[in-house]
Amino acid sequence: SLPALAQVDGCIQDTSLLEQLCLWLHDVDEGIRRRAVKTLEQMGKAAIQAPRALPSVLAALHDADLAVRRTAAEALGQLGEAAAQRPEVLSALLTAALHDTDAIVRKNAAKALGRMGEAATAPSELLSALLNILHNALVERRREEAVEVLGQLGEAAAQRPEVLSALLTALHGTDSGMRIVAAKALGRLGEAAAWHPQVSSALLGALHDVQPAVRRTAAEALGQLGEAAAQRPEVLSALL
């Protein structure tokens, strides 16, 4: 059975136990792999003490078992900024967020990038890759996932005018699914996005969208923009 390392907080003295968990991540039994990656996920930043931990969790992102991949993405998010300093982590999470065949893996990977915040957006390559996808009609299938990741990046992404511009363009697109995820993303950016003069106006316009789901999402997003949006009388009037 697996050791109860999830109960240990802070520094782990016996790193041999961490090494054993890394070995179990390569076990032929998917049940063992699931429990090992879940334990590492629950340990959070303490897990990074073992040199093999990060490469092992990255490898788990490509596991044949869905549960292992889903938890591996969550575990990487728990590792925090220390993991975000490693380019291979950001690259692996971005690939999973955009291309994994499972929607939950994609969402978990996007959330993991979001948890890394500013540390994830510091390398310009990540934002550039996401924006390139949004502007490339040949990768239509992954544009919604790219918008999802941008929204999860939160305040750090909202400081970049090109990100807000791309999300506003998506909100005005012809695809209703894209409009929904764009509205959600703008809402997740919160008050940090409200400084952009077009954000509130665009979401107000979306309240009149032909699709009810777009209208609902736009209303929720306006509520997430906080005091900056509340100071505009037209916003309060539209929401009341």
Side-chain angles (χ1 to χ4, degrees):
S1 62
L2 299 183
L5 287 181
Q7 304 303 315
V8 180
D9 190 19
C11 183
I12 294 177
Q13 300 299 321
D14 188 358
T15 56
S16 64
L17 294 176
L18 286 171
E19 294 291 341
Q20 185 61 57
L21 282 172
C22 295
L23 290 175
W24 276 323
L25 278 177
H26 302 282
D27 196 277
V28 294
D29 185 335
E30 67 270 15
I32 294 293
R33 299 199 305 276
R34 289 178 189 176
R35 293 177 65 192
V37 74
K38 184 64 179 176
T39 300
L40 286 167
E41 185 263 330
Q42 291 173 327
M43 288 166 56
K45 296 178 182 179
I48 209 168
Q49 293 177 57
R52 293 181 56 184
L54 197 53
S56 295
V57 177
L58 285 173
L61 268 183
H62 305 286
D63 198 279
D65 185 76
L66 279 180
V68 173
R69 298 206 307 277
R70 291 171 178 175
T71 308
E74 292 178 326
L76 288 167
Q78 297 285 358
L79 294 180
E81 292 189 7
Q85 304 303 321
R86 304 280 291 271
E88 65 269 28
V89 173
L90 299 180
S91 176
L93 283 172
L94 182 59
T95 298
L98 296 176
H99 301 296
D100 197 277
T101 56
D102 180 66
I104 295 178
V105 174
R106 295 196 300 271
K107 185 172 291 291
N108 287 354
K111 288 181 178 179
L113 286 168
R115 294 194 65 162
M116 294 176 181
E118 190 173 345
T121 59
S124 59
E125 293 82 4
L126 187 140
L127 285 180
S128 296
L130 292 169
L131 293 173
N132 285 339
I133 288 171
L134 286 181
H135 298 143
N136 188 347
L138 297 179
V139 290
E140 183 71 29
R141 293 182 306 158
R142 295 305 177 213
R143 294 178 71 229
E144 288 188 17
E145 281 79 4
V147 170
E148 168 77 17
V149 174
L150 288 171
Q152 292 289 352
L153 290 174
E155 184 175 344
Q159 305 301 324
R160 307 287 287 269
E162 65 271 31
V163 171
L164 292 177
S165 177
L167 292 178
L168 289 170
T169 298
L171 185 62
H172 292 114
T174 57
D175 184 283
S176 61
M178 178 63 76
R179 297 199 299 275
I180 291 171
V181 295
K184 284 183 179 178
L186 287 168
R188 288 195 182 106
L189 299 184
E191 293 190 19
W195 64 269
H196 195 294
Q198 297 180 26
V199 170
S200 296
S201 297
L203 289 171
L204 283 171
L207 293 177
H208 305 286
D209 197 278
V210 296
Q211 294 293 332
V214 177
R215 298 197 297 270
R216 288 194 301 270
T217 307
E220 293 170 357
L222 282 167
Q224 292 175 295
L225 293 184
E227 292 184 9
Q231 291 173 5
R232 298 184 60 175
E234 64 271 29
V235 173
L236 292 178
S237 175
L239 293 177
L240 293 175

